[in-house]
Amino acid sequence: MAGLERSPSRPNMRGLFAGLKAGRVFVPGSGIQQRATYIHGKPPKDKIGAVQSAFVLMVMSLAILGPSGWILSRLDHYKTRD
């Protein structure tokens, strides 16, 4: 098929995210990459329980889905402006 060849101007999608998977840090000015082995995690200061996790999940879901639900529930009103 003539339309399915890869164009030279289109980047390879695997190469686009290869730097993120490798865990390397680009050093500006030098043109080299270094491995990010100096990043270490620490144990949490306070334990977070299941109730607090559920509450935060509910609030975040409401903050993201609430406005879109508001608009979709009033879609007929928006279509018929007087």
Side-chain angles (χ1 to χ4, degrees):
M1 298 180 134
L4 295 178
E5 290 91 20
R6 184 189 314 247
S7 170
S9 64
R10 290 181 59 193
N12 186 356
M13 292 304 288
R14 289 183 298 182
L16 185 64
F17 299 110
L20 296 175
K21 290 186 209 174
R24 297 176 186 264
V25 177
F26 181 72
V27 179
S30 65
I32 60 172
Q33 290 183 351
Q34 294 178 346
R35 199 155 237 334
T37 57
Y38 57 88
I39 299 174
H40 298 286
K42 296 179 183 177
K45 292 180 181 177
D46 299 323
K47 292 215 174 213
I48 298 175
V51 175
Q52 291 152 337
S53 297
F55 176 74
V56 169
L57 183 64
M58 182 185 67
V59 169
M60 291 298 293
S61 299
L62 184 63
I64 293 170
L65 298 175
S68 60
W70 178 273
I71 292 170
L72 288 175
S73 68
R74 287 156 178 78
L75 199 58
D76 290 334
H77 174 70
Y78 296 140
K79 286 181 182 178
T80 58
R81 292 191 177 200
D82 292 330

